[in-house]
Amino acid sequence: MSTKHAFLLFLAAILSITSCTNGMKTTKVETTIKTKFQGKEISLDNEKKIDSLIALMTLEEKVGMLHGQSMFANGGVERLGIPKLHMTDGPLGIREEISQDSWAPAGWDNDFATYYPAAGSVAATWNPELSYIFGNSVGQEARARNKDMLLSPAINIIRTPLGGRTYEYFTEDPFLNKKLAVPFIVGIQDNDVMACVKHFAVNNQETNRDFVDVNTDERTLREIYLPAFKASVTEANAYSVMGAYNKFRGDFLCENDYMQNKILRDEWGFRGIVVSDWSAVHSTVKTLENGLDIEMGTRKPFNEYFLADKLIAAAKAGEISKEEIDKHVRRILKVLFQVKAIDSTDRTKGSLATEEHYKDAYDIAAESIILLKNDSNLLPLRLDGVHSIAVIGNNATKKNALGGFGAGVKTKREVTPLDGLKNKLPENIKINYAEGYLERYTQNDNNQKEELTLNTPRTVTELDPDKLNEALEAAKKSDMAIIFAGSNRDYETEASDRKDLSLPFGQEELIQKVLEVNPNTLVVMIAGAPFDINMIKEKSSTLIWSWFNGSEGGNALADVILGNVNPSGKLPWTMPKKIEDSPAHATHSFPGNESVTYEEGILVGYRWFDTKKVEPLYPFGFGLSYTDFEFSDISTSKDSYTEDEEIQINFTIKNIGDRDGKEVAQLYVSHPGSAVEKAAKELKGFKKVFVKSGESQNIAINIPVKELAYYQEASKNWVVEKGTYILKIGNSSRNILQEVSIKIN
Ligand code: BGC
């Protein structure tokens, strides 16, 4: 009999005695899924088992559980059957295996996985069902790779279009953010895997991220930066949260009493564990007392971590109590039981890189692609009379599963845009491929002052004359051209923000010249964040936006281009005309230095553009379809409501075009008579619906009146003001098609 089995039998014996002495049997808490996307609460059933385990542990064993003992796991206690907690990134699927004590790949040959579309794509679908599918699918892969925790989703608000991790995050809007985060987490956790919601919180820039001290007023914190984290805890019951690198109001987030103890645990009732971002811990006693549970990181030997030898020393010196240490050990044990990592025979086994998972990745990609412009009805491509297509651009063949500083995926399948076209176009159409621009970087020049704060990858902007010629020749001799432009995951990357919105590698010149020789050209942007596409918008009749779109990205893109899929993606953030128009930049409050104050306050994203009447290049929520939709007959269930009621908004969407398609109805709310500052409009509901050509659908969107509340700093309360509110239905923040007023009494 193994030590582990012997221990489990011993534990079972203790428990049966405890149960008998109590005179009642522990019944399994029924964790009912109240609504579709309501997560299971962490069970309190295992308290006695946990007590018994803690009683048997030495100080060293306890401390071993509180810090990383390899790159992606803490320490377990083998003799007591407590396994290590195995973690993995992340945003694009299950990361390749990393060495025990360095970032070098472990060199396994079975650590491949499905490459899923990045979070920006999920957000562009505006489809919570797909967010659940993503979470559930990647959760299965996590189990198949024997992981306990997925370091995902990343839900920081996109405050600046330059953010290096924009593609990893969902959106600039707190409502859309929470509506996508919750199903994603529930999907992951339905597979006995902990979601680790990151990076808690106000972690909105890469520049100076290791130390920058972020300041926001309380209302902004509550209304913009916290709602998705709150919903992750109170609705999705996330089992873990990752503390961010930066500081907030003077204290590092991983030792921030206000954020980790007061808000997360006392206010929201969080029962799970807080894991630090990698090397984000700066103290021993303070970090533990202020709410962190596991220190993870890199660079130094594991015993030198703050929650390793230093913690043992602090405990022996009486600087921290046994009870405090036990509290954190207890939390970790609780989540290990919750995901059936201890004492269970029916844990989800999972599956890896299956056709079903590739299909999930395809479905997300297909709904994420955004049609930005189709002025001459070039799309969907009609192939009669087309004998040849020039396919131009490095992005036609660029792979993005790996790359950059952030976590990637080793995948067996990544269909590039060129592969997708080859797969889907009839064989008699000749593809003339030309790379057009080269992905080239220069060394960063450390003498430039801005380099010290903005470590943006520097690119060579001159085109290679031969490559340019080749592209122009291909465009001239072909019936039409498709340019795959944009960026990639080496250019948009964790650990640096971009220095500006310009397109790298000389693409602007290339696109302009190709458009001159063949106006019958479609431009496809592949990127995870806003870029300066003013010229393209002006000169090209046809423009599509796609993303780092996963294993099946190329197939999804070809299906949209050819009309096998009617595009239904909508921008999850505002595309500014110029960076100075974006709120963090208009207020000169990015990136700061030692500290940064978010001067725009609650006016983040479209809230700023709409309130200040600044014209964006493309508004939040924008995206065209191959069909047209008509909105009509807006009404509400009543004219006036009280605070505890739910407003029901009814309206009709008619598909007046000749193709079936999906539309995202977006509900914005304005409160012109408010006594406090309010954004011109705020998203408070949305619904993605499929409507057949010629048919109509009656839609109902419900919003709890409480969703209209603002955060009142003086009373520390959410307050619903009385008065008249205008409910606006449209298909972008700038295209309101129907409105109706209601009263709150
Ligand atoms: C990132 C996290 C990530 C961790 C482990 C950090 O640099 O900020 O998002 O989960 O590394 O790879």
PDB file of all heavy atoms in Angstrom, residues 599-616:
ATOM      1  N   GLU A 599      -6.754  60.103 -15.055  1.00  0.00           N
ATOM      2  CA  GLU A 599      -7.437  61.403 -15.030  1.00  0.00           C
ATOM      3  C   GLU A 599      -8.801  61.395 -15.718  1.00  0.00           C
ATOM      4  O   GLU A 599      -9.656  62.214 -15.408  1.00  0.00           O
ATOM      5  CB  GLU A 599      -6.563  62.488 -15.695  1.00  0.00           C
ATOM      6  CG  GLU A 599      -5.207  62.724 -15.057  1.00  0.00           C
ATOM      7  CD  GLU A 599      -5.283  63.441 -13.715  1.00  0.00           C
ATOM      8  OE1 GLU A 599      -6.388  63.828 -13.302  1.00  0.00           O
ATOM      9  OE2 GLU A 599      -4.218  63.587 -13.082  1.00  0.00           O
ATOM     10  N   GLU A 600      -8.991  60.485 -16.658  1.00  0.00           N
ATOM     11  CA  GLU A 600     -10.273  60.462 -17.370  1.00  0.00           C
ATOM     12  C   GLU A 600     -11.397  59.915 -16.493  1.00  0.00           C
ATOM     13  O   GLU A 600     -12.569  59.980 -16.861  1.00  0.00           O
ATOM     14  CB  GLU A 600     -10.164  59.643 -18.659  1.00  0.00           C
ATOM     15  CG  GLU A 600     -10.036  58.135 -18.494  1.00  0.00           C
ATOM     16  CD  GLU A 600      -8.656  57.681 -18.017  1.00  0.00           C
ATOM     17  OE1 GLU A 600      -7.813  58.543 -17.727  1.00  0.00           O
ATOM     18  OE2 GLU A 600      -8.431  56.460 -17.910  1.00  0.00           O
ATOM     19  N   GLY A 601     -11.037  59.360 -15.330  1.00  0.00           N
ATOM     20  CA  GLY A 601     -12.056  58.857 -14.407  1.00  0.00           C
ATOM     21  C   GLY A 601     -12.930  57.797 -15.045  1.00  0.00           C
ATOM     22  O   GLY A 601     -12.426  56.853 -15.651  1.00  0.00           O
ATOM     23  N   ILE A 602     -14.238  57.979 -14.914  1.00  0.00           N
ATOM     24  CA  ILE A 602     -15.174  56.963 -15.436  1.00  0.00           C
ATOM     25  C   ILE A 602     -15.302  57.005 -16.956  1.00  0.00           C
ATOM     26  O   ILE A 602     -15.926  56.131 -17.544  1.00  0.00           O
ATOM     27  CB  ILE A 602     -16.592  57.119 -14.823  1.00  0.00           C
ATOM     28  CG1 ILE A 602     -17.116  58.540 -15.081  1.00  0.00           C
ATOM     29  CG2 ILE A 602     -16.595  56.783 -13.344  1.00  0.00           C
ATOM     30  CD1 ILE A 602     -18.599  58.706 -14.793  1.00  0.00           C
ATOM     31  N   LEU A 603     -14.724  58.034 -17.581  1.00  0.00           N
ATOM     32  CA  LEU A 603     -14.936  58.175 -19.028  1.00  0.00           C
ATOM     33  C   LEU A 603     -13.893  57.378 -19.824  1.00  0.00           C
ATOM     34  O   LEU A 603     -13.098  57.925 -20.579  1.00  0.00           O
ATOM     35  CB  LEU A 603     -14.935  59.646 -19.432  1.00  0.00           C
ATOM     36  CG  LEU A 603     -16.048  60.488 -18.788  1.00  0.00           C
ATOM     37  CD1 LEU A 603     -16.011  61.913 -19.305  1.00  0.00           C
ATOM     38  CD2 LEU A 603     -17.431  59.871 -19.045  1.00  0.00           C
ATOM     39  N   VAL A 604     -13.961  56.073 -19.684  1.00  0.00           N
ATOM     40  CA  VAL A 604     -13.042  55.178 -20.394  1.00  0.00           C
ATOM     41  C   VAL A 604     -13.690  54.753 -21.718  1.00  0.00           C
ATOM     42  O   VAL A 604     -14.903  54.567 -21.789  1.00  0.00           O
ATOM     43  CB  VAL A 604     -12.737  53.941 -19.511  1.00  0.00           C
ATOM     44  CG1 VAL A 604     -11.908  52.922 -20.265  1.00  0.00           C
ATOM     45  CG2 VAL A 604     -12.014  54.382 -18.245  1.00  0.00           C
ATOM     46  N   GLY A 605     -12.892  54.613 -22.758  1.00  0.00           N
ATOM     47  CA  GLY A 605     -13.395  54.094 -24.032  1.00  0.00           C
ATOM     48  C   GLY A 605     -14.467  54.987 -24.634  1.00  0.00           C
ATOM     49  O   GLY A 605     -14.366  56.216 -24.612  1.00  0.00           O
ATOM     50  N   TYR A 606     -15.539  54.337 -25.157  1.00  0.00           N
ATOM     51  CA  TYR A 606     -16.590  55.124 -25.837  1.00  0.00           C
ATOM     52  C   TYR A 606     -17.265  56.096 -24.884  1.00  0.00           C
ATOM     53  O   TYR A 606     -17.874  57.079 -25.316  1.00  0.00           O
ATOM     54  CB  TYR A 606     -17.629  54.195 -26.487  1.00  0.00           C
ATOM     55  CG  TYR A 606     -18.444  53.426 -25.470  1.00  0.00           C
ATOM     56  CD1 TYR A 606     -19.630  53.938 -24.952  1.00  0.00           C
ATOM     57  CD2 TYR A 606     -17.998  52.201 -24.993  1.00  0.00           C
ATOM     58  CE1 TYR A 606     -20.357  53.243 -24.003  1.00  0.00           C
ATOM     59  CE2 TYR A 606     -18.719  51.502 -24.042  1.00  0.00           C
ATOM     60  CZ  TYR A 606     -19.900  52.025 -23.552  1.00  0.00           C
ATOM     61  OH  TYR A 606     -20.607  51.352 -22.602  1.00  0.00           O
ATOM     62  N   ARG A 607     -17.216  55.823 -23.579  1.00  0.00           N
ATOM     63  CA  ARG A 607     -17.827  56.764 -22.623  1.00  0.00           C
ATOM     64  C   ARG A 607     -17.210  58.156 -22.805  1.00  0.00           C
ATOM     65  O   ARG A 607     -17.874  59.170 -22.696  1.00  0.00           O
ATOM     66  CB  ARG A 607     -17.596  56.281 -21.183  1.00  0.00           C
ATOM     67  CG  ARG A 607     -18.480  55.131 -20.774  1.00  0.00           C
ATOM     68  CD  ARG A 607     -17.958  54.518 -19.485  1.00  0.00           C
ATOM     69  NE  ARG A 607     -18.932  53.674 -18.807  1.00  0.00           N
ATOM     70  CZ  ARG A 607     -19.270  52.457 -19.180  1.00  0.00           C
ATOM     71  NH1 ARG A 607     -18.731  51.934 -20.251  1.00  0.00           N
ATOM     72  NH2 ARG A 607     -20.166  51.758 -18.502  1.00  0.00           N
ATOM     73  N   TRP A 608     -15.901  58.181 -23.067  1.00  0.00           N
ATOM     74  CA  TRP A 608     -15.204  59.457 -23.305  1.00  0.00           C
ATOM     75  C   TRP A 608     -15.595  60.026 -24.666  1.00  0.00           C
ATOM     76  O   TRP A 608     -16.010  61.183 -24.789  1.00  0.00           O
ATOM     77  CB  TRP A 608     -13.697  59.226 -23.246  1.00  0.00           C
ATOM     78  CG  TRP A 608     -12.873  60.418 -23.647  1.00  0.00           C
ATOM     79  CD1 TRP A 608     -12.484  60.755 -24.918  1.00  0.00           C
ATOM     80  CD2 TRP A 608     -12.349  61.431 -22.789  1.00  0.00           C
ATOM     81  NE1 TRP A 608     -11.734  61.912 -24.907  1.00  0.00           N
ATOM     82  CE2 TRP A 608     -11.636  62.345 -23.605  1.00  0.00           C
ATOM     83  CE3 TRP A 608     -12.402  61.651 -21.406  1.00  0.00           C
ATOM     84  CZ2 TRP A 608     -10.988  63.464 -23.086  1.00  0.00           C
ATOM     85  CZ3 TRP A 608     -11.747  62.765 -20.893  1.00  0.00           C
ATOM     86  CH2 TRP A 608     -11.058  63.663 -21.732  1.00  0.00           C
ATOM     87  N   PHE A 609     -15.458  59.197 -25.703  1.00  0.00           N
ATOM     88  CA  PHE A 609     -15.716  59.675 -27.066  1.00  0.00           C
ATOM     89  C   PHE A 609     -17.141  60.216 -27.194  1.00  0.00           C
ATOM     90  O   PHE A 609     -17.368  61.258 -27.809  1.00  0.00           O
ATOM     91  CB  PHE A 609     -15.494  58.538 -28.072  1.00  0.00           C
ATOM     92  CG  PHE A 609     -14.035  58.261 -28.328  1.00  0.00           C
ATOM     93  CD1 PHE A 609     -13.289  57.494 -27.445  1.00  0.00           C
ATOM     94  CD2 PHE A 609     -13.403  58.782 -29.447  1.00  0.00           C
ATOM     95  CE1 PHE A 609     -11.945  57.246 -27.672  1.00  0.00           C
ATOM     96  CE2 PHE A 609     -12.054  58.540 -29.687  1.00  0.00           C
ATOM     97  CZ  PHE A 609     -11.324  57.778 -28.794  1.00  0.00           C
ATOM     98  N   ASP A 610     -18.114  59.509 -26.622  1.00  0.00           N
ATOM     99  CA  ASP A 610     -19.510  59.914 -26.773  1.00  0.00           C
ATOM    100  C   ASP A 610     -19.834  61.135 -25.915  1.00  0.00           C
ATOM    101  O   ASP A 610     -20.583  62.012 -26.326  1.00  0.00           O
ATOM    102  CB  ASP A 610     -20.445  58.748 -26.422  1.00  0.00           C
ATOM    103  CG  ASP A 610     -20.328  57.618 -27.452  1.00  0.00           C
ATOM    104  OD1 ASP A 610     -19.558  57.787 -28.430  1.00  0.00           O
ATOM    105  OD2 ASP A 610     -20.980  56.578 -27.285  1.00  0.00           O
ATOM    106  N   THR A 611     -19.256  61.199 -24.721  1.00  0.00           N
ATOM    107  CA  THR A 611     -19.542  62.324 -23.827  1.00  0.00           C
ATOM    108  C   THR A 611     -18.877  63.598 -24.336  1.00  0.00           C
ATOM    109  O   THR A 611     -19.472  64.673 -24.328  1.00  0.00           O
ATOM    110  CB  THR A 611     -19.048  62.009 -22.392  1.00  0.00           C
ATOM    111  OG1 THR A 611     -19.597  60.743 -22.018  1.00  0.00           O
ATOM    112  CG2 THR A 611     -19.481  63.071 -21.400  1.00  0.00           C
ATOM    113  N   LYS A 612     -17.632  63.452 -24.793  1.00  0.00           N
ATOM    114  CA  LYS A 612     -16.884  64.628 -25.254  1.00  0.00           C
ATOM    115  C   LYS A 612     -17.124  64.929 -26.731  1.00  0.00           C
ATOM    116  O   LYS A 612     -16.503  65.825 -27.296  1.00  0.00           O
ATOM    117  CB  LYS A 612     -15.377  64.418 -25.031  1.00  0.00           C
ATOM    118  CG  LYS A 612     -14.994  64.102 -23.607  1.00  0.00           C
ATOM    119  CD  LYS A 612     -15.006  65.363 -22.748  1.00  0.00           C
ATOM    120  CE  LYS A 612     -14.657  65.032 -21.305  1.00  0.00           C
ATOM    121  NZ  LYS A 612     -14.826  66.154 -20.395  1.00  0.00           N
ATOM    122  N   LYS A 613     -17.971  64.122 -27.343  1.00  0.00           N
ATOM    123  CA  LYS A 613     -18.315  64.283 -28.762  1.00  0.00           C
ATOM    124  C   LYS A 613     -17.067  64.274 -29.661  1.00  0.00           C
ATOM    125  O   LYS A 613     -16.867  65.147 -30.506  1.00  0.00           O
ATOM    126  CB  LYS A 613     -19.133  65.551 -28.992  1.00  0.00           C
ATOM    127  CG  LYS A 613     -20.421  65.563 -28.180  1.00  0.00           C
ATOM    128  CD  LYS A 613     -21.381  66.623 -28.674  1.00  0.00           C
ATOM    129  CE  LYS A 613     -22.765  66.502 -28.095  1.00  0.00           C
ATOM    130  NZ  LYS A 613     -22.859  66.457 -26.645  1.00  0.00           N
ATOM    131  N   VAL A 614     -16.236  63.296 -29.440  1.00  0.00           N
ATOM    132  CA  VAL A 614     -15.056  63.102 -30.290  1.00  0.00           C
ATOM    133  C   VAL A 614     -15.389  61.978 -31.270  1.00  0.00           C
ATOM    134  O   VAL A 614     -15.835  60.903 -30.865  1.00  0.00           O
ATOM    135  CB  VAL A 614     -13.820  62.686 -29.442  1.00  0.00           C
ATOM    136  CG1 VAL A 614     -12.596  62.526 -30.326  1.00  0.00           C
ATOM    137  CG2 VAL A 614     -13.570  63.693 -28.336  1.00  0.00           C
ATOM    138  N   GLU A 615     -15.203  62.260 -32.550  1.00  0.00           N
ATOM    139  CA  GLU A 615     -15.548  61.275 -33.577  1.00  0.00           C
ATOM    140  C   GLU A 615     -14.489  60.168 -33.625  1.00  0.00           C
ATOM    141  O   GLU A 615     -13.311  60.449 -33.841  1.00  0.00           O
ATOM    142  CB  GLU A 615     -15.576  62.017 -34.923  1.00  0.00           C
ATOM    143  CG  GLU A 615     -16.287  61.301 -36.048  1.00  0.00           C
ATOM    144  CD  GLU A 615     -17.756  61.056 -35.777  1.00  0.00           C
ATOM    145  OE1 GLU A 615     -18.411  61.921 -35.123  1.00  0.00           O
ATOM    146  OE2 GLU A 615     -18.237  60.000 -36.184  1.00  0.00           O
ATOM    147  N   PRO A 616     -14.891  58.914 -33.406  1.00  0.00           N
ATOM    148  CA  PRO A 616     -13.886  57.847 -33.532  1.00  0.00           C
ATOM    149  C   PRO A 616     -13.725  57.448 -34.996  1.00  0.00           C
ATOM    150  O   PRO A 616     -14.555  57.813 -35.830  1.00  0.00           O
ATOM    151  CB  PRO A 616     -14.499  56.701 -32.745  1.00  0.00           C
ATOM    152  CG  PRO A 616     -15.978  56.913 -32.860  1.00  0.00           C
ATOM    153  CD  PRO A 616     -16.211  58.391 -33.023  1.00  0.00           C
TER     154      PRO A 616
END
